Amino acid sequence: MQPVGVIRQLTRYPVKSMQGEVLPSAALTFQGFAEDRRYAFVQATSRSSFPWLTARELPELLYYRTSVEKEGTPEVAVTVATAHGENWPIESDDLLKVLEARSGRSLFLLRDYRGSYDVAPVSLISGQTVARIAEESGTKENSRRFRPNLLVDLENASPFDELHWVGKTLRIGSAARIAITEVDQRCMMITLDPATGESSPEILKCVVQKHGQSAGIYATVLTPGEVRAGDPILIEA
């Protein structure tokens, strides 16, 4: 097996498009990281293939803080602290009403144990790629814009080299294995500042014009296991 990098940061996003939780370790299951994107607010009248309420429609979702309580038990629960100081359980009718009022849309809460993913249950990008995009676009480096589960440091490699892992199998730590399925074709979400919701369109313009719209990769899980920050990443021969 060939060492290709190390996990710098591991993040899960309990509610789609809301702020993530940085974790020292997490269980990687066949459905992705435990409690990652398990909840989503869905636009009730949408008939599109992407009906979720996201920061595209309501940028302030990016700074709604989420936390998982009683993880690993039947009583597992998610709470949401909003940008306006409210703190509610995810199932709260008050939270639903607030999001409907602020988005101007009729919504319902979806819990999906398989996760409400755009493409696949694991997303990965390298710190080198994030830094190169910031340099080329003339913006401040911020990996949170890209909402990866795994932010990695490449070993003896250049920015965007993780794109060449498509079709390969990676071993993470002592047990977990993921299959890299495709590159991440980026959209306007990466233009939104995770702290303010303000847009920097030059970031997406850079990724589209210089890198064919690709930044980061998606993966499915072949072998579950515990994954930790600092774990090595190896390509299987």
Side-chain angles (χ1 to χ4, degrees):
M1 288 189 288
Q2 175 190 355
V4 291
V6 174
I7 297 175
R8 181 195 300 181
Q9 185 171 287
L10 191 161
T11 308
R12 69 175 170 200
Y13 307 85
V15 184
K16 191 173 184 68
S17 226
M18 291 188 184
Q19 202 173 110
E21 290 184 301
V22 176
L23 303 172
S25 64
L28 182 59
T29 74
F30 286 119
Q31 287 77 42
F33 285 102
E35 302 307 319
D36 183 47
R37 295 174 172 92
R38 291 303 189 257
Y39 286 99
F41 286 93
V42 181
Q43 301 175 77
T45 60
S46 174
R47 297 295 177 265
S48 76
S49 59
F50 200 91
W52 302 292
L53 178 72
T54 71
R56 295 173 183 84
E57 298 80 31
L58 187 63
E60 70 180 62
L61 286 178
L62 291 172
Y63 41 99
Y64 281 31
R65 298 187 308 277
T66 60
S67 58
V68 178
E69 300 173 359
K70 300 181 180 179
E71 184 176 356
T73 74
E75 294 79 32
V76 62
V78 171
T79 58
V80 176
T82 77
H84 302 274
E86 304 100 340
N87 197 322
W88 288 310
I90 186 65
E91 298 90 351
S92 167
D93 288 338
D94 290 332
L95 174 59
L96 179 64
K97 290 175 182 176
V98 163
L99 292 177
E100 287 184 325
R102 289 177 182 152
S103 68
R105 291 165 166 82
S106 177
L107 306 171
F108 66 88
L109 178 65
L110 174 68
R111 162 129 177 121
D112 188 342
Y113 77 95
R114 294 169 297 182
S116 293
Y117 302 112
D118 290 359
V119 175
V122 178
S123 58
L124 180 155
I125 195 170
S126 72
Q128 286 85 350
T129 295
V130 172
R132 176 62 60 82
I133 293 170
E135 177 186 353
E136 291 177 342
S137 63
T139 59
K140 184 177 180 180
E141 181 179 337
N142 189 342
S143 63
R144 291 170 56 204
R145 287 184 180 274
F146 301 89
R147 299 179 66 82
N149 293 119
L150 300 175
L151 177 65
V152 307
D153 286 322
L154 300 177
E155 184 173 302
N156 300 319
S158 301
F160 292 91
D161 274 5
E162 65 268 27
L163 302 185
H164 303 307
W165 298 348
V166 173
K168 301 181 184 298
T169 297
L170 303 185
R171 182 179 295 275
I172 305 172
S174 60
R177 298 167 63 245
I178 59 176
I180 307 303
T181 56
E182 60 187 276
V183 300
D184 192 337
Q185 295 289 305
R186 293 296 179 168
C187 67
M188 62 83 66
M189 284 287 290
I190 65 173
T191 71
L192 300 176
D193 189 312
T196 66
E198 295 180 1
S199 179
S200 298
E202 61 269 28
I203 295 175
L204 181 58
K205 182 179 180 180
C206 167
V207 173
V208 170
Q209 293 184 348
K210 295 181 178 293
H211 305 286
Q213 202 174 332
S214 301
I217 49 181
Y218 283 114
T220 58
V221 180
L222 299 176
T223 306
E226 191 77 7
V227 176
R228 298 173 176 82
D231 275 350
I233 299 172
L234 303 99
I235 293 180
E236 293 189 351

